[in-house]
């Protein structure tokens, strides 16, 4: 969307109109925002005003943190942000089916990682979602902003009588490069970081031991974080079983147990 702004000097009557291009999604809303700045070539002060938009709660929150907007509003938003963070940082209190256990992994884009776990005998269910961040109920757009600290994760429900946790760990290490910080291939961002998120002390100990064994096989330090599983926010439905449903190009990939077909990460 093309918008024109006018820069007016407080010391002269001259003005300069410049075009700006703004990119919005369907839910983007803003209101009038004034940002002061100084021109290095003189002592005159300029003012940039963007108008005719309605502020969203998320934008209000970040503007408040930057010092813009009424104090009362800032206090209200800080309180709301604190409550949101508290929920997001709480434990994953979902309950697996009887006789089943949860495991949670972050290994880059969750599409290919989910398909790999879907193929494991003993895995009864997989879901992709967001965890470890500070925003309650984030959207995909929110986590891609880099401001919420969420990780793209796969939550695996499995039968420990048919599939050991160590088997899931072995697959986790084989599916990504745990030595690259906040990056897997061309995907860059904190949401792509490597992580093992445990539900029990036994899982924690197994994860640490597994990491130490795998470290001996690679030349660079492993940067995988090993942390308690926090609240799991299920991703939008179109992300679920994305590759099994056809992915970007409509070619469905097999979820058959034990399948060794190469995984095309984007379909």
């Amino acid at each position: 969307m093309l918008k024109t702004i006018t820069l007016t000097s407080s010391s002269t009557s001259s003005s300069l109109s410049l075009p700006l291009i703004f990119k919005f999604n369907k839910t983007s809303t803003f209101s009038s925002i004034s940002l002061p700045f100084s021109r290095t070539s003189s002592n005159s002060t300029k003012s940039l005003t963007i108008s005719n938009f309605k502020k969203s709660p998320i934008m209000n929150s970040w503007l408040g943190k930057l010092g813009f907007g009424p104090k009362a509003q800032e206090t209200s938003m800080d309180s709301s942000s604190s409550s949101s963070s508290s929920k997001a940082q709480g434990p994953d209190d979902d309950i697996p089916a009887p006789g089943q256990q949860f495991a949670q992994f972050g290994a880059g884009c969750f599409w290919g990682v989910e398909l790999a776990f879907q193929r494991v005998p003993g895995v009864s269910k997989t879901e992709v979602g967001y965890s470890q961040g500070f925003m309650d109920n984030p959207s995909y757009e929110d986590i891609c902003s880099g401001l919420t600290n969420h990780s793209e994760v796969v939550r695996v429900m499995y039968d420990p009588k048919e599939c050991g946790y160590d088997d899931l760990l072995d697959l986790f290490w084989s599916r990504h490069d745990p030595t690259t910080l906040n990056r897997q291939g061309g995907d860059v961002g904190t949401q792509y970081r490597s992580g093992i998120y445990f539900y029990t002390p036994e899982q924690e100990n197994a994860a640490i031991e597994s990491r130490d064994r795998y470290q001996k096989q690679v030349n660079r330090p492993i940067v995988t974080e090993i942390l308690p599983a926090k609240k799991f926010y299920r991703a939008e439905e179109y992300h679920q079983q994305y590759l099994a449903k056809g992915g970007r190009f409509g070619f469905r990939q097999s979820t058959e147990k034990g399948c060794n077909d190469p995984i095309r990460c984007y379909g």
Side-chain angles (χ1 to χ4, degrees), residues 8-23:
T8 305
S9 170
S10 60
S11 59
T12 70
S13 60
S14 62
S15 64
L16 172 64
S17 293
L18 297 174
L20 287 182
I21 296 176
F22 296 92
K23 185 178 182 181

Side-chain angles (χ1 to χ4, degrees), residues 198-211:
F198 57 85
Y199 286 82
T200 66
E202 291 76 18
Q203 285 189 354
E204 178 185 17
N205 292 334
I208 293 172
E209 292 173 3
S210 178
R211 178 201 60 196

Side-chain angles (χ1 to χ4, degrees), residues 165-166 169-170 173 196 201-217 222 226:
Y165 187 64
D166 284 338
L169 289 169
D170 288 343
W173 297 118
I196 302 171
E202 291 76 18
Q203 285 189 354
E204 178 185 17
N205 292 334
I208 293 172
E209 292 173 3
S210 178
R211 178 201 60 196
D212 293 345
R213 288 195 303 271
Y214 194 76
Q215 180 64 79
K216 297 176 182 178
Q217 303 176 34
I222 288 176
I226 300 176

Side-chain angles (χ1 to χ4, degrees), residues 119 171 201 224:
R119 293 174 171 180
L171 178 60
T224 302

